[in-house]
């Protein structure tokens, strides 16, 4: 296989938390603090691998083949199925999107939670990035890779900019199931379970933060 990923897979993608100079200061602050992947878990890695993963996460990109192989070699995990899965990320997100909209076509219609189109596109981009960091965690053989305070800030930001969280969570659940099924055909049951567990944990953290915010408003 080639050592380089296709450009469409390594390009940096904007997500729902992107801000511009015109963004209000409180949203800029939340966007800076919003974080899914906990880079503190990298403290036990050799410095070169820690830098690779921290840099990749900061750039919102997937790992190239050499990087992924090095991380998996250190963690004792299998790089080949994860490399294949990375090449399928966009189609997997598209499949999760199709399943969600087949069940709830009203979401993208006028008045729906994913209308207009830019709201839907932000949802799919964020699903891509949740899968991206879940692959980091699977490569590292880590079951909890989320940043507690960063997830709180992320959900608060989502709510302030009216991200349709129920629709996002539904899409993520479809993505978790589809990705785990694909991984089951590529790798050991342990790696497939790890991937599904991480995606499930991300969903649960978002739900828990939603409940916390609701309770604080009562």
């Amino acid at each position: 296989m080639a050592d380089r990923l296709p450009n469409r897979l390594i390009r940096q993608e904007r997500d729902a938390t992107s801000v511009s100079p015109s963004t209000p200061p409180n949203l800029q602050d939340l966007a800076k603090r919003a974080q899914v992947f906990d880079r503190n878990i990298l403290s036990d890695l050799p410095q070169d691998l820690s830098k690779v993963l921290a840099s990749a996460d900061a750039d919102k990109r997937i790992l190239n083949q050499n990087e992924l192989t090095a991380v998996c070699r250190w963690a004792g995990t299998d790089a080949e199925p994860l490399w294949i899965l990375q090449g399928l990320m966009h189609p997997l997100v598209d499949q999760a999107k199709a399943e969600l909209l087949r069940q709830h076509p009203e979401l993208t219609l006028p008045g729906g939670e994913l209308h207009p189109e830019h709201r839907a596109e932000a949802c799919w981009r964020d699903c891509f990035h949740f899968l991206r960091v879940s692959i980091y965690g699977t490569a590292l053989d880590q079951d909890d890779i989320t940043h507690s305070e960063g997830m709180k800030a992320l959900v608060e930001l989502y709510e302030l900019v009216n991200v349709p969280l129920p629709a996002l969570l539904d899409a993520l659940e479809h993505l978790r199931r589809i990705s785990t099924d694909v991984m089951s055909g590529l790798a050991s049951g342990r790696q497939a379970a790890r991937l599904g567990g991480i995606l499930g944990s991300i969903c649960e953290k978002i739900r828990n933060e939603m409940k916390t915010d609701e309770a604080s408003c009562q």
Side-chain angles (χ1 to χ4, degrees):
M1 286 183 292
D3 289 336
R4 296 171 57 194
L5 291 171
N7 288 336
R8 68 181 181 84
L9 292 181
I10 63 174
R11 70 180 184 273
Q12 295 180 23
E13 300 199 18
R14 300 182 62 196
D15 59 14
T17 61
S18 296
V19 295
S20 68
S22 62
T23 303
N26 61 323
L27 293 184
Q28 290 186 31
D29 178 63
L30 280 174
K32 289 178 182 178
R33 291 190 288 114
Q35 182 179 344
V36 179
F37 184 63
D38 186 0
R39 298 173 199 168
N40 292 319
I41 69 173
L42 304 176
S43 60
D44 293 334
L45 272 69
Q47 189 174 26
D48 57 338
L49 294 184
S50 177
K51 286 183 177 179
V52 161
L53 280 160
S55 175
D57 185 50
D59 291 341
K60 292 186 169 67
R61 68 170 180 85
I62 58 179
L63 300 174
N64 67 37
Q65 189 175 25
N66 290 335
E67 292 168 341
L68 183 61
T69 298
V71 170
C72 288
R73 184 183 298 119
W74 177 85
T77 52
D78 191 353
E80 182 72 11
L82 290 172
W83 174 254
I84 295 172
L85 189 72
Q86 283 193 154
L88 298 172
M89 287 174 68
H90 283 289
L92 289 173
V93 172
D94 286 344
Q95 188 176 343
K97 165 186 172 180
E99 291 199 13
L100 176 67
L101 297 182
R102 183 165 57 247
Q103 293 178 356
H104 301 286
E106 73 280 359
L107 288 171
T108 56
L109 297 177
E113 288 186 318
L114 295 181
H115 185 274
E117 184 177 357
H118 71 85
R119 293 174 65 79
E121 289 304 317
C123 177
W124 316 138
R125 283 194 296 270
D126 280 11
C127 284
F128 178 95
H129 291 303
F130 287 131
L131 181 55
R132 169 179 60 81
V133 298
S134 296
I135 291 175
Y136 292 174
T138 305
L140 289 166
D141 200 25
Q142 294 276 348
D143 57 356
D144 187 1
I145 54 95
T146 55
H147 189 282
S148 179
E149 292 303 314
M151 290 295 289
K152 288 181 181 179
L154 178 66
V155 172
E156 187 176 350
L157 177 61
Y158 276 161
E159 291 174 336
L160 282 176
V161 298
N162 298 315
V163 170
L165 286 174
L168 174 62
L169 286 170
D170 281 349
L172 265 177
E173 178 55 33
H174 285 299
L175 184 60
R176 182 200 63 78
R177 178 180 52 78
I178 294 165
S179 300
T180 304
D181 286 348
V182 170
M183 195 64 174
S184 295
L186 296 172
S188 67
R190 177 182 175 86
Q191 276 191 293
R194 181 71 78 205
L195 179 72
I198 294 171
L199 283 165
S201 176
I202 290 172
C203 290
E204 190 62 25
K205 295 287 178 65
I206 293 174
R207 288 192 187 96
N208 287 342
E209 292 304 327
M210 290 169 63
K211 292 175 184 177
T212 299
D213 287 351
E214 289 171 0
S216 67
C217 293
Q218 293 178 357

